[in-house]
Amino acid sequence: MYPSQFEYHAPTSVAEAVEILGRYDGEARVLAGGQSLIPLLKLRFTTLRAVVDINRIPGLDTLAVEDGALRIGALVRHRDCERSPLLKEARWRVLGQAAPQIADPVVRNLGTVCGSVAHADPQGDWGSVMLAAGAEVVTASAAGGRTIPIADFFQGPFTTALEPGEMVTEIRLPDPGGRASGAYLKLERKVGDFATAGVAVHLAMSDGSVATAGIALTGVGARNIKATAAESAIAGREPTPDAIAEAARLAAEAADPQDDLRGTAEYKRNVVRVFCQRGLQAAAAAAAA
Ligand code: FAD
């Protein structure tokens, strides 16, 4: 199918992009990698008055640690993360592990991290990574910019805290420092598929104990889920088998999966428990190494 007619804009600055977005009273959308928006338009699940293609805006492809935070600009592709030596460092391991598990090489070449988070698919992998790592979403609009804590960003399936006319310019993650690491575990039916279930873990260690823990779940609820009870259960404790098993049990309890073609709810909940256990063990070991 062809999309219904829309106006196409290709601004060359963020200021120009938000000025155009502001003209359409919520009936214009940003086009980043197009890997989710184009199918939606072609299938006519979405009709828009205008598309604002941000790919010609310079300076949105930053992937670097600056001023104590990892900055991921709005045009950083999944592929950039997959190939980044920075994200192979232990402290950013949750990102480095998630990137190659997203979709297939064609989608990874074009799709963006910020686009994925803005799209807010409950089966999106980056959403859980960002929840676990305590990210902030930085936005711009004609009215000015703001910073949204990721815990407040996802409001439901494909629904976020973004206002009409607002775009994401970057995502920032606090640098957890030396003794930190993470893991991303994903079960998919075949390579390139969305998650049957996924678990993101991000730990900072201090004197052999877990100083802070981030745990989040993919594909087992109406949005990416921050498993706060599991995080609290492991924080402040040594990552012993018992402490890890208790956190994993609580993570499974936080999941809210449905029976579907990918498996039963009970099966998915058990996958979450096992993945959380493995992720915590791996992250604690990598942080201590
Ligand atoms: P676009 O398609 O350009 O936009 C998506 C939505 O986000 C639109 O509403 C758009 O307006 C909005 N948006 C984009 N950028 C911004 C911005 N800067 N500010 C405000 N709004 C913005 N994802 C996974 O996580 N895991 C998978 O396994 C996976 N498998 C896939 C398999 C296939 C075959 C395909 C086609 C997609 C798959 N995806 C998967 C989705 C993929 O990761 C997309 O790249 C991602 O969801 C959207 O990123 P994008 O840059 O392509 O955004």
Side-chain angles (χ1 to χ4, degrees):
M1 266 171 83
Y2 293 105
S4 57
Q5 213 171 19
F6 55 82
E7 289 170 31
Y8 173 83
H9 299 272
T12 53
S13 71
V14 169
E16 191 189 348
V18 296
E19 187 276 317
I20 297 167
L21 284 169
R23 275 186 226 159
Y24 288 91
D25 200 21
E27 291 186 77
R29 293 260 190 93
V30 169
L31 174 75
Q35 297 304 293
S36 297
L37 185 60
I38 299 289
L40 286 176
L41 289 168
K42 288 182 92 167
L43 294 167
R44 299 205 182 192
F45 288 144
T46 292
T47 54
L48 295 171
R49 279 173 58 211
V51 160
V52 181
D53 181 347
I54 60 171
N55 285 278
R56 288 174 187 76
I57 302 179
L60 292 181
D61 57 355
T62 300
L63 177 61
V65 176
E66 284 170 16
D67 302 327
L70 175 66
R71 296 177 55 202
I72 305 176
L75 289 176
V76 171
R77 320 273 168 186
H78 309 315
R79 176 203 55 195
D80 299 325
C81 296
E82 184 180 3
R83 294 186 181 171
S84 163
L86 176 65
L87 300 192
K88 295 197 170 32
E89 291 178 12
R91 64 194 161 143
W92 305 118
R93 195 167 177 261
V94 63
L95 291 100
Q97 287 197 347
Q101 299 191 60
I102 290 168
D104 52 53
V106 178
V107 173
R108 290 202 293 275
N109 278 340
L110 286 166
T112 64
V113 178
C114 291
S116 184
V117 171
H119 188 52
D121 185 332
Q123 285 181 303
D125 297 293
W126 287 122
S128 296
V129 169
M130 299 308 161
L131 282 168
E136 293 177 330
V137 180
V138 182
T139 75
S141 74
R146 60 180 175 142
T147 300
I148 309 169
I150 193 75
D152 300 336
F153 189 75
F154 298 115
Q155 300 194 335
F158 307 101
T159 310
T160 70
L162 287 177
E163 299 285 347
E166 192 171 22
M167 70 172 271
V168 178
T169 54
E170 67 179 31
I171 292 176
R172 281 194 204 138
L173 287 78
D175 188 343
R179 290 266 168 246
S181 195
Y184 189 71
L185 292 94
K186 173 177 177 177
L187 178 69
E188 51 191 2
R189 290 174 303 176
K190 59 185 173 62
V191 171
D193 194 16
F194 283 93
T196 299
V199 175
V201 168
H202 187 66
L203 296 183
M205 305 290 292
S206 174
D207 296 330
S209 292
V210 175
T212 58
I215 301 171
L217 318 177
T218 309
V220 288
R223 55 182 156 177
N224 297 94
I225 295 170
K226 187 166 167 61
T228 46
E231 292 172 344
S232 305
I234 192 84
R237 296 180 66 181
E238 279 181 39
T240 60
D242 282 353
I244 286 176
E246 173 63 0
R249 186 187 68 74
L250 290 166
E253 227 173 78
D256 184 22
Q258 305 287 318
D259 294 345
D260 63 17
L261 288 173
R262 290 183 166 86
T264 63
E266 187 191 355
Y267 169 66
K268 293 179 195 176
R269 212 184 276 283
N270 200 40
V271 171
V272 167
R273 186 185 60 76
V274 173
F275 277 9
C276 187
Q277 197 158 348
R278 289 182 192 165
L280 287 168
Q281 281 163 349

